[in-house]
Amino acid sequence: MVIINNFNTGHYSRTIVADQVYASDMEIYIPVMLSPSEKTDLIGFIHSFFDSLHPLPEARECLNAFSIKIAHGGLVTYWNSVNQAVSFLQNFRKLLEAAFLISREDRGEFKREKTTKDNLVPTKILAKSRKMVDVLPYLPSSSDPQDSLDPIKNLRYLFADTEPGKLLKILNAWGDCTLSDCRPSLDLQRNLYLYDIIFHIILDSCHLIYVRSPKEKQNSLES
């Protein structure tokens, strides 16, 4: 149970900072989607997701394409082929699993006392330009700076409140409606706003881990 869990202020804004989290010792079930090598190198997978699979602005657009379908129906024309949509779904399922697993680790190196462009935006983007118009697509969605201080804590509180297995079921339902062009259930539509924001929280938190991890800094120096 989370003491504070507010997803309801502003566009993609949320306050999920809490003083304490209570959770049982019971293992939370989540299907295994990561390969053994990806599971042993969670940071490496997160890097591959944002480096070579789906940079943050693209990943956000992909999630938006699914949520628009649930909200309004009609055909989704964001992707050039069904395979592209399927590929994103598969990769985001893996990212959700990686987020859950890393949230159970003690990773204080990703925490910051204050937010700056350097700990919010990839260094390779900042190397090209530090103008707000260029870095804005890589900034976190939340309007509350507190949400960006500790991405591991964000994920830990989120998964304490909502089991990852349930999130995967919702994500799979989004995919089924989009790829098979079927009508979403009333329950899926009713909870669209909540789960859309939750998926963006996971995406933003993983991106903060990506930006603040040594591998990202090392890659920028090598390039």
Side-chain angles (χ1 to χ4, degrees), residues 113-183:
E113 296 300 322
K114 63 179 181 179
T115 57
T116 66
K117 288 181 182 179
D118 294 292
N119 61 44
L120 297 176
V121 181
T123 51
K124 61 184 179 182
I125 301 300
L126 294 176
K128 296 177 181 178
S129 173
R130 299 182 69 92
K131 294 181 179 178
M132 184 57 66
V133 67
D134 296 315
V135 304
L136 186 61
Y138 295 89
L139 294 177
S141 302
S142 174
S143 62
D144 187 346
Q146 291 290 107
D147 290 344
S148 300
L149 297 179
D150 191 347
I152 296 295
K153 184 167 68 173
N154 289 351
L155 293 172
R156 187 174 297 131
Y157 291 164
L158 187 150
F159 289 123
D161 191 51
T162 309
E163 292 187 1
K166 182 177 182 180
L167 294 178
L168 282 170
K169 288 181 180 179
I170 298 297
L171 183 62
N172 289 338
W174 282 23
D176 290 342
C177 287
T178 300
L179 299 175
S180 61
D181 194 28
C182 65
R183 290 180 60 86

Side-chain angles (χ1 to χ4, degrees), residues 66-79:
F66 282 109
S67 62
I68 287 171
K69 166 64 179 178
I70 303 302
H72 303 292
L75 296 175
V76 175
T77 58
Y78 177 76
W79 293 279

Side-chain angles (χ1 to χ4, degrees), residues 10-137:
H11 184 62
Y12 291 145
S13 179
R14 67 274 173 181
T15 300
I16 58 178
V17 176
D19 294 329
Q20 205 167 8
V21 170
Y22 300 96
S24 70
D25 294 331
M26 184 186 306
E27 282 291 318
I28 302 176
Y29 170 74
I30 182 170
V32 177
M33 294 156 291
L34 295 169
S35 68
S37 61
E38 290 169 336
K39 199 170 182 178
T40 57
D41 185 12
L42 297 174
I43 300 299
F45 171 76
I46 291 174
H47 275 269
S48 68
F49 183 94
F50 291 110
D51 273 333
S52 56
L53 297 174
H54 309 285
L56 182 62
E58 177 193 320
R60 283 177 175 158
E61 289 300 318
C62 289
L63 282 178
N64 291 341
F66 282 109
S67 62
I68 287 171
K69 166 64 179 178
I70 303 302
H72 303 292
L75 296 175
V76 175
T77 58
Y78 177 76
W79 293 279
N80 295 324
S81 68
V82 172
N83 288 340
Q84 288 180 327
V86 170
S87 176
F88 173 76
L89 271 176
Q90 291 174 336
N91 293 328
F92 194 75
R93 289 188 191 107
K94 287 186 173 184
L95 188 71
L96 196 157
E97 182 185 4
F100 170 66
L101 293 175
I102 202 168
S103 74
R104 310 186 88 187
E105 299 179 358
D106 184 13
R107 304 299 294 261
E109 68 267 30
F110 304 124
K111 183 179 179 179
R112 298 294 183 271
E113 296 300 322
K114 63 179 181 179
T115 57
T116 66
K117 288 181 182 179
D118 294 292
N119 61 44
L120 297 176
V121 181
T123 51
K124 61 184 179 182
I125 301 300
L126 294 176
K128 296 177 181 178
S129 173
R130 299 182 69 92
K131 294 181 179 178
M132 184 57 66
V133 67
D134 296 315
V135 304
L136 186 61

